Amino acid sequence: MRRPRPPAWTATLTWKAAVFITVMCCALAALLGALVHVSVTRQTVDQARMEALSRLEQATRAYVAGEPMPPYAAVDPPGLPASLRALALRGERGTLVADHEGSPAMWAAGPADGRALAARVDYTLAAETITGLDQAIVGSSALAIGATLLVGAFAVTRVTRRLHLTAQVARRISAGDLDARVNDPRTEDPARPKDEVATVSGALDTMASSLQRKLQSEQRFTADVAHELRTPLTGLSAAAELLPEGRPAELVRDRVRAMRSLTEDLLEISRLDAGGETVDLDVYELAPLAERVVRASGTDTQLRIVRETTVETDKRRLERVLGNLVGNAHKHGRPPVTLTVDGPEVTISDKGPGYPGYLVEHGPQRFRTEGGGKGHGLGLTIAAGQAAVIGAELTFANAPEGGAVAHLVLPEYAPIDPEGEDVSGRSADRADGGHGGHGGHGGHGGGQRNGTGPDSGEGSPDTPAH
């Protein structure tokens, strides 16, 4: 049987500090209260005992002299505690606090010819003093604990607030915002003393600055290399066209085209990394765009339209994303490759071995591929970057029955009629083919088209035809 998990707020530093402060204050208050109580009680009891023994001494002299007993003393008084009477009958003297007619009294007893001679002192005032002292100790301890808890919580909250700010900046940096900084004033002013939180904040800012410089240096290097390669590649391409026809000339032209494609991809990635891309948004029907991409790819791709819709996007960038995804599915997967449009959602699936684990978990990584060096790993990286530019969400997964699945969610266009009602929820199921619904499931009258057209040739995940 699993133990119930405590609430999440109990794991916070503020809660732990509050519990620690409360426990320590309670322990300190209890210790000091006990010491004060014991000291005052002992002093009060000793004073009453000395007074009772003094009265017993006076009563003993009066008893020996045969004089009348004072009113506070008597032989074998009826209220004398039994234990003290037994002590006196054994020939010893003693004192004891006990009730006498409903009030506390300090008794002192001693032997007197085989009987017990006792004297008493009223202990009411002393008992009330001790009770009042205990109440004062409890009240002052509660006030001290409350005040200490408030001050401690305020101090801890200031520290935790700075820690939360540091954690928030760290999450922003991990999300790609390399300009995020904590900027703790204690780290910027060398004259101010630094605590541990300021040290952590300063280290995080230093790390972010160093990481930003390295990434910017790599981005500049990539862009510079791509720009420098364009000129010699242009000349090489022109020279390759002058070669006599034959197998060597075809090989040279093919490699030149591959180099030019790689160079253009590097330039595109450098522009995406720079973050200066401008988006040309417009309203388009998604199904014709998908059909155009499938036809331009020149591949045997099945197109399924489950539900048509209108999206607001950048047509060129969307075609780039879909083309790279379709080309990647044909290059690294196995047929049938299916592109499914279901409202603003587009799914590209194949029946191949699926995406590598690192790609599903962390997303595509440039110049990292699986399968013996096929491709250069930039196609999916460009697709993910362009999807982010147009505000779409691109995710990668593997189907339970096998195969890779790329899922793209676009921002749907929602026109408003003059009466203020949303008129975007249109359903335009096609019935061009006899295929069932989305992804092979029944219930939707989805049409299917083969993506073959006048363009021929193998599709590339990195440089799809437009």
Side-chain angles (χ1 to χ4, degrees), residues 152-174:
F154 175 74
V156 173
T157 302
R158 293 188 61 186
V159 175
T160 55
R161 187 184 300 114
R162 294 167 58 197
L163 290 175
H164 284 308
L165 176 61
T166 304
Q168 182 181 4
V169 171
R171 285 190 291 267
R172 289 173 55 189
I173 293 173
S174 64

Side-chain angles (χ1 to χ4, degrees), residues 169-246:
V169 171
R171 285 190 291 267
R172 289 173 55 189
I173 293 173
S174 64
D177 184 8
L178 298 181
D179 293 326
R181 298 292 186 273
V182 179
N183 292 329
D184 194 314
R186 294 170 179 80
T187 61
E188 297 177 355
D189 188 1
R192 298 184 63 178
K194 297 181 182 179
D195 57 4
E196 288 78 2
V197 180
T199 302
V200 173
S201 302
L204 179 63
D205 289 347
T206 303
M207 181 199 68
S209 300
S210 176
L211 180 63
Q212 185 179 33
R213 288 193 299 270
K214 290 181 180 179
L215 290 179
Q216 290 175 348
S217 176
E218 292 179 0
Q219 293 170 5
R220 287 194 298 270
F221 174 76
T222 302
D224 293 343
V225 168
H227 279 290
E228 292 298 327
L229 286 176
R230 297 185 73 177
T231 301
L233 281 176
T234 302
L236 185 60
S237 177
E241 296 297 330
L242 301 177
L243 294 176
E245 296 296 331

Side-chain angles (χ1 to χ4, degrees), residues 58-59 61-63 65-71 73:
Q58 295 175 5
R61 288 197 296 268
Y63 176 77
E67 297 176 355
M69 289 287 182

Side-chain angles (χ1 to χ4, degrees), residues 31-271:
L31 178 61
L32 294 178
L35 292 176
V36 173
H37 172 81
V38 170
S39 177
V40 174
T41 301
R42 179 178 297 174
Q43 183 179 359
T44 304
V45 170
D46 289 343
Q47 185 177 357
R49 179 181 292 113
M50 292 177 62
E51 185 177 355
L53 290 175
S54 176
R55 288 187 176 187
L56 178 61
E57 189 69 27
Q58 295 175 5
T60 301
R61 288 197 296 268
Y63 176 77
V64 172
E67 297 176 355
M69 289 287 182
Y72 51 79
V75 177
D76 291 332
L80 183 64
S83 58
L84 193 57
R85 184 188 302 273
L87 183 66
L89 293 178
R90 291 198 303 268
E92 299 178 5
R93 287 187 175 189
T95 58
L96 182 66
V97 178
D99 287 339
H100 176 68
E101 297 178 355
S103 299
M106 174 64 76
W107 289 90
D113 298 331
R115 293 182 297 175
L117 177 61
R120 67 179 183 276
V121 176
D122 187 12
Y123 197 72
T124 303
L125 183 59
E128 291 177 353
T129 301
I130 294 175
T131 303
L133 176 64
D134 292 341
Q135 293 176 353
I137 291 175
V138 172
S140 60
S141 298
L143 291 177
I145 291 173
T148 305
L149 186 59
L150 290 177
V151 174
F154 175 74
V156 173
T157 302
R158 293 188 61 186
V159 175
T160 55
R161 187 184 300 114
R162 294 167 58 197
L163 290 175
H164 284 308
L165 176 61
T166 304
Q168 182 181 4
V169 171
R171 285 190 291 267
R172 289 173 55 189
I173 293 173
S174 64
D177 184 8
L178 298 181
D179 293 326
R181 298 292 186 273
V182 179
N183 292 329
D184 194 314
R186 294 170 179 80
T187 61
E188 297 177 355
D189 188 1
R192 298 184 63 178
K194 297 181 182 179
D195 57 4
E196 288 78 2
V197 180
T199 302
V200 173
S201 302
L204 179 63
D205 289 347
T206 303
M207 181 199 68
S209 300
S210 176
L211 180 63
Q212 185 179 33
R213 288 193 299 270
K214 290 181 180 179
L215 290 179
Q216 290 175 348
S217 176
E218 292 179 0
Q219 293 170 5
R220 287 194 298 270
F221 174 76
T222 302
D224 293 343
V225 168
H227 279 290
E228 292 298 327
L229 286 176
R230 297 185 73 177
T231 301
L233 281 176
T234 302
L236 185 60
S237 177
E241 296 297 330
L242 301 177
L243 294 176
E245 296 296 331
R247 182 60 178 168
E250 289 295 330
L251 291 176
V252 171
R253 295 190 187 105
D254 179 70
R255 292 300 88 194
V256 170
R257 284 194 295 269
M259 284 291 296
R260 293 188 65 177
S261 173
L262 177 59
T263 302
E264 295 299 327
D265 286 348
L266 289 175
L267 285 174
E268 186 171 357
I269 285 182
S270 65
R271 290 192 298 268

